[in-house]
Amino acid sequence: MKNSKRILASLIIAGLCACGKPDAASTPSGTAVTASGSTQPISHAQPAVSRAEPLNAAPLGVEVGYANLEGVKAKFSGVTKLENDGINKYSGGPMLSSNGDGVGLDGLSNLTFIFDKDNVLAAVLMTLPKNPTDVFAKLSGKYQVVDNKIDKFMNYGNAKLEKGETVVVIEALHLSFDMSVRYLTKQLSAEFMRQSESDEKQKRQDQTNKL
């Protein structure tokens, strides 16, 4: 059971970055998710990066659930090389990726921005050197702790935090040298889990049918 959970955890980043056609509704066009779960209009004609006082998690200064594609491109243009990474299977929107060079976050080796079909930022995925204890200490001062299963002595494990309509997940596997930090809208997080469970159920059924 423990091994299967570790394998599943190691596939989460790859899963979230999967390309494909979505089958779920997303936030209405031209709107952003607020802390109350409602939506508010934002103009996609102008770059949006973050509110003066972010209601959601805002890694690297971009507010998840509020920033848009134009805003992220404008903020990081000339800072790091962003590459188009296709359409995300779960959000239905475009993805941008970078190796993290120039961003200014020590040890960042992979950075992915996931947008919904209306180009609102739905997730930021980071790969960092493994040090969940230190990262949790920093993030717990900014966000509300939901769950903490990080082993301080062995320095591995996972934790979940939240702010507004976003969740922050720290994931450090026991035998890995890297760790992931994921900032997602609650909507995308729920859709990812729903589709993952559906895919796994279908896979088990296919295996049964072949017996």
Side-chain angles (χ1 to χ4, degrees), residues 35 48 70 73 116 120 126 133 183 196 211:
E70 294 85 354
K73 285 183 175 180
D116 66 18
V120 175
M126 299 179 182
T133 302
Y183 304 78
S196 295
L211 293 176

Side-chain angles (χ1 to χ4, degrees), residues 40-118:
Q40 70 177 40
I42 61 174
S43 172
H44 291 291
Q46 298 294 329
V49 176
S50 179
R51 286 168 278 219
E53 295 185 4
L55 299 180
N56 302 322
L60 303 175
V62 290
E63 185 179 351
V64 179
Y66 178 83
N68 60 16
L69 181 64
E70 294 85 354
V72 171
K73 285 183 175 180
K75 181 175 178 64
F76 292 100
S77 177
V79 175
T80 190
K81 183 180 179 181
L82 294 175
E83 297 183 353
N84 293 321
D85 229 358
I87 300 299
N88 187 263
K89 175 181 178 180
Y90 305 99
S91 72
M95 296 185 290
L96 298 174
S97 64
S98 165
N99 62 9
D101 287 351
V103 172
L105 185 58
D106 290 344
L108 180 64
S109 59
N110 190 39
L111 174 64
T112 301
F113 299 99
I114 299 176
F115 302 85
D116 66 18
K117 68 177 183 179
D118 301 310

Side-chain angles (χ1 to χ4, degrees), residues 12-18 88 90 95 114 125 182 184 188 192:
I12 288 178
I13 287 290
L16 280 169
C17 292
N88 187 263
Y90 305 99
M95 296 185 290
I114 299 176
L125 314 180
R182 309 187 292 274
L184 309 95
L188 178 59
F192 172 70

Side-chain angles (χ1 to χ4, degrees), residues 8 13 33 106 116 126 138-139 147 156 201:
L8 177 60
I13 287 290
V33 181
D106 290 344
D116 66 18
M126 299 179 182
K138 293 175 180 176
L139 293 183
D147 190 26
Y156 77 96
K201 182 178 180 180

